[in-house]
Amino acid sequence: MAGPSLPDAETLEGTLEHVVFANERNHWTVARLRVHGNDDRITIVGTLPGLRAGEVLRVSGRHAVHQRFGPQFQVDSFQSVTPTTVDGIRRYLASGILSGMGKVLAERIVETFGDETLRVVDESPERLLEVEGIGRKKLESIIASWRASRAARETLVFLRGHGFGAALANRVFEVYGDRAMAVAREHPYRLTRDVDGVGFVIADRLARSVGFSEDAPERLEAGLRHVLAERLGDGQVATPWSELVERAARLLDIDPIEVDAALADLESGNAVRSERDADAARLVYLPRLHAAEVEVAGALRRLAAGVPAAVGALGHVDTALRNASVDLTEDQLDAVRLAVTNKLAVITGGPGVGKTTIVRTIVDVSRRAGLRVELAAPTGRAAKRMTEATGRDARTIHRLLEFDPGSGRFARGPDNPIDAEFVLIDETSMVDLLLMRDLLAALPAEANLVLVGDADQLPSVGPGRVLGDMLDSGVIPARRLTRVFRQEAGGLIVENAHRINRGEMPTVPIDVDGADFFMIPREDPEAARAVIEEMVTRRIPDRFGIPSTDIQVLTPMYRGEVGADRLNERLQATLNPGDPHVTRGTLRLRIGDRVMQLANDYDRGVFNGDVGRVDDVTADAVHVVIDQRTVRYTAKELEQLTLAYAITVHKSQGSEYPAVIVPMSTAHWPLLQRNLLYTAMTRGRRIVVVVGSMRALERAVGNAHVARRHGLLARRLRADDAPSLFGPAFDPAPSGERGGTEGGGGDDER
């Protein structure tokens, strides 16, 4: 059944009397317009940059009635119409549209040139020197202001006409200034590299409309770069040549032979690099990723062959053990010895195998040996857990490397290394190739490095699978712990995590008393969603005393009835009802809402994956408490937030929660994989509940296939000719190119 039809668009022309409100960041404007012909005064609203009282506007849109503010005209598009009357010109110039021009000067100019004033300003601005009070300096200011205003208007009208949203068109002008129109017309594909939010599709539509042919070299290059960027977003370091050509040809709807030739041209111009893997397949790299892989391999090989900082540290193991609260098994002792007798060591294993006990012992041994120790993890949540487990301060890797928002680079590097002799990194499975490159570059020559993590969890969101490649290489000193110790009463969370990891279905308790794992079968997604709502709001709080605020729903993806988007909508309505205090797009926030940060913001010290609560809403900002401090978000910055009653499993990496609910639906079939379910299971401390389809659960347990991440790091680690540690040509990646896993998690399939 069709929804209500929108009223027909209408075009009005009138004089702008005054601006009621204008947001300088996103140009959302409320203004009063006197309509020509009937002198009606109406309120117009919309994205209307640079309006000034006295302008004549032609606006297109629809009449509507706002629930709170009453009748208004919602503007879809507008253009400024040059005023033609002397009075209109006088008001226009006096409106502040030109820098340094007030009412008195505007009056003098109009007295001098009459109804020819605007033509003089536009075509013969030097004549303004005839007006009393205008000297050479004032003239230059007026000309610059006039040109900037005209360029902004022309650019925004042009881009809006080619499918750019208002905010995106504004962003283009902010990047290029008065060159924006020329760049958009002559180099439209540059926008994909320079302007955040401009993807290939919208740039291609613009390019084709201004005359670029389907086989233009710029188009072929942009298409290939777009596919490489997509693969990078999927965690790929490199892409097979044939796959890249095939994907780009489909995107461009052009003969693969032409795309292949264009890719060869890119390689000959050093815009991409290629190498053959062990199967002789040709892999294509972006140059910065190729350099990072080569550099990481060289750094790791050098470390593995080095002499540890304190050769005698092993003698402190017995002392550390006497102070420990538990006895270590021989396997755990081997892991400790490995860490203190090698310059580089990897310790891996699943939940309950004693990694935390080993980390505490390693730190104790290192400190007793007199070494300066630094502890770090990829996310703030993982660093906090590390601090709690060891009693020693731990930081995020980004803070350890001292990221400088001003320069977009890390302060720590080859010329200013970390002040430590022993560095231990936890949750290493989350560390991508670029972040590992930066960490190794900042490691002092004398330092030991111990990497701890669970290689069976989801790999890093950013490019590569560094921990997995290190283990696969067989040349890095490593210990995999398999004996499970953490089997408290019930103990099914840990047991079932390991069962799932072995490809076995989880044990579902018959007697649920004292159990910490449950499965509630619901084949219908709507029925599963209803159960999840009940579990969060009533059953878990009532039975286990765990408040709803400590229950986290972890779902494979955003879409669907049990996807993050729908669950957040429903859980917000149940747990925090009421009128929204602030709305931006589809996001509706209320005081008390649980929210998550979606992007790294180094200026304010909040990172992708950080979770907080809305504490206050004012007229111009939302205040969110994250890690016991308040962070302020303006209206435009709200795009960095999303509701977090339900989050994707990827976003949960590095975190633990008292209670976890995991929806399993056949609607999520492409993402139902063993390592995803295993990662979700290992996030719960006290309670884990799986709700949904038994068939979906069987699919996830049985699907050990993990999309291959292409790259040559493991082979480079085994190679005899791997290069040495970073030389003088090493240049840390700029902001936006380094490891994006700070704060954990990236976007899953929508």
Side-chain angles (χ1 to χ4, degrees), residues 136-157:
R136 179 61 59 180
K137 187 173 181 180
K138 173 70 76 174
L139 176 65
E140 291 174 357
S141 174
I142 292 173
I143 292 174
S145 184
W146 177 262
R147 288 176 177 170
S149 175
R150 184 177 59 187
R153 292 293 181 80
E154 290 174 350
T155 300
L156 295 176
V157 170

Side-chain angles (χ1 to χ4, degrees), residues 346-639:
V346 173
I347 299 171
T348 184
V353 297
K355 293 194 300 293
T356 299
T357 301
I358 292 169
V359 167
R360 278 198 300 261
T361 306
I362 292 171
V363 171
D364 194 4
V365 169
S366 302
R367 294 180 68 87
R368 289 178 185 280
L371 301 179
R372 300 189 307 280
V373 178
E374 283 284 0
L375 307 179
T379 72
R381 291 161 292 163
K384 183 178 180 181
R385 286 172 49 207
M386 200 177 185
T387 297
E388 293 168 350
T390 63
R392 309 286 183 183
D393 287 339
R395 294 184 277 175
T396 65
I397 297 174
H398 280 68
R399 289 194 172 101
L400 175 67
L401 300 181
E402 298 178 13
F403 185 81
D404 177 15
S407 66
R409 297 177 180 272
F410 289 126
R412 296 291 182 177
D415 298 327
N416 181 31
I418 301 164
D419 183 19
E421 297 163 298
F422 195 99
V423 176
L424 193 149
I425 305 296
D426 199 6
E427 297 284 0
T428 307
S429 63
M430 298 176 64
V431 179
D432 66 22
L433 182 70
L434 296 171
L435 187 56
M436 181 60 76
R437 186 272 305 269
D438 289 330
L439 173 66
L440 294 171
L443 200 68
E446 68 273 14
N448 291 13
L449 177 64
V450 176
L451 303 173
V452 180
D454 186 347
D456 294 319
Q457 287 188 21
L458 290 169
S460 60
V461 174
R465 54 182 298 272
V466 178
L467 181 62
D469 285 340
M470 292 173 68
L471 294 169
D472 290 348
S473 73
V475 301
I476 304 298
R479 287 290 182 276
R480 182 185 288 271
L481 304 169
T482 57
R483 181 178 173 185
V484 178
F485 298 93
R486 199 174 71 197
Q487 294 283 11
E488 297 97 4
L492 287 177
I493 293 177
V494 173
E495 177 186 327
N496 281 334
H498 285 276
R499 289 180 63 87
I500 289 167
N501 206 30
R502 295 192 300 266
E504 303 170 8
M505 286 292 286
T507 298
V508 178
I510 298 175
D511 181 5
V512 297
D513 288 340
D516 59 0
F517 173 85
F518 307 93
M519 168 74 185
I520 302 178
R522 291 291 186 276
E523 293 297 323
D524 178 61
E526 288 191 21
R529 192 206 69 227
V531 168
I532 292 169
E533 291 179 40
E534 186 181 9
M535 296 295 292
V536 172
T537 58
R538 186 177 62 82
R539 291 173 64 178
I540 291 179
D542 289 352
R543 180 168 180 177
F544 299 98
I546 299 174
S548 297
T549 53
D550 287 342
I551 303 170
Q552 185 63 62
V553 180
L554 302 180
T555 182
M557 62 194 300
Y558 288 95
R559 290 185 310 222
E561 201 64 36
V562 289
D565 291 339
R566 178 65 169 149
L567 284 168
N568 272 318
E569 176 188 325
R570 295 293 303 165
L571 290 171
Q572 181 193 44
T574 304
L575 295 171
N576 195 24
D579 292 331
H581 288 274
V582 64
T583 301
R584 181 170 178 81
T586 60
L587 179 67
R588 290 170 172 78
L589 293 182
R590 303 166 183 145
I591 293 175
D593 274 334
R594 187 191 307 176
V595 293
M596 174 179 281
Q597 173 79 14
L598 292 176
N600 293 338
D601 189 327
Y602 299 99
D603 290 324
R604 293 182 296 177
V606 287
F607 301 100
N608 184 6
D610 282 352
V611 174
R613 290 193 176 277
V614 177
D615 183 59
D616 191 22
V617 176
T618 63
D620 59 349
V622 172
H623 301 265
V624 179
V625 175
I626 299 176
D627 287 338
Q628 299 180 334
R629 64 189 187 88
T630 301
V631 182
R632 181 179 182 272
Y633 292 82
T634 64
K636 184 176 183 179
E637 291 163 345
L638 289 180
E639 63 191 19

Side-chain angles (χ1 to χ4, degrees), residues 285-365:
Y285 291 80
L286 291 170
R288 63 187 175 88
L289 289 170
H290 183 270
E293 188 177 84
V294 169
E295 290 158 358
V296 166
L300 291 173
R301 284 170 57 87
R302 175 178 171 178
L303 273 171
V307 177
V311 179
L314 194 58
H316 296 277
V317 172
D318 290 339
T319 304
L321 292 178
R322 283 196 298 270
N323 292 319
S325 58
V326 296
D327 293 329
L328 269 64
T329 66
E330 193 58 38
D331 284 347
Q332 291 174 316
L333 279 172
D334 282 346
V336 174
R337 293 187 187 105
L338 183 86
V340 299
T341 58
N342 288 274
K343 198 163 180 64
L344 171 65
V346 173
I347 299 171
T348 184
V353 297
K355 293 194 300 293
T356 299
T357 301
I358 292 169
V359 167
R360 278 198 300 261
T361 306
I362 292 171
V363 171
D364 194 4
V365 169

Side-chain angles (χ1 to χ4, degrees), residues 221 225 241 261-273 285 287:
E221 177 180 348
R225 288 183 178 277
W241 184 289
L263 181 54
D265 288 342
L266 285 180
E267 184 178 30
S268 65
N270 294 319
V272 297
R273 299 285 301 274
Y285 291 80

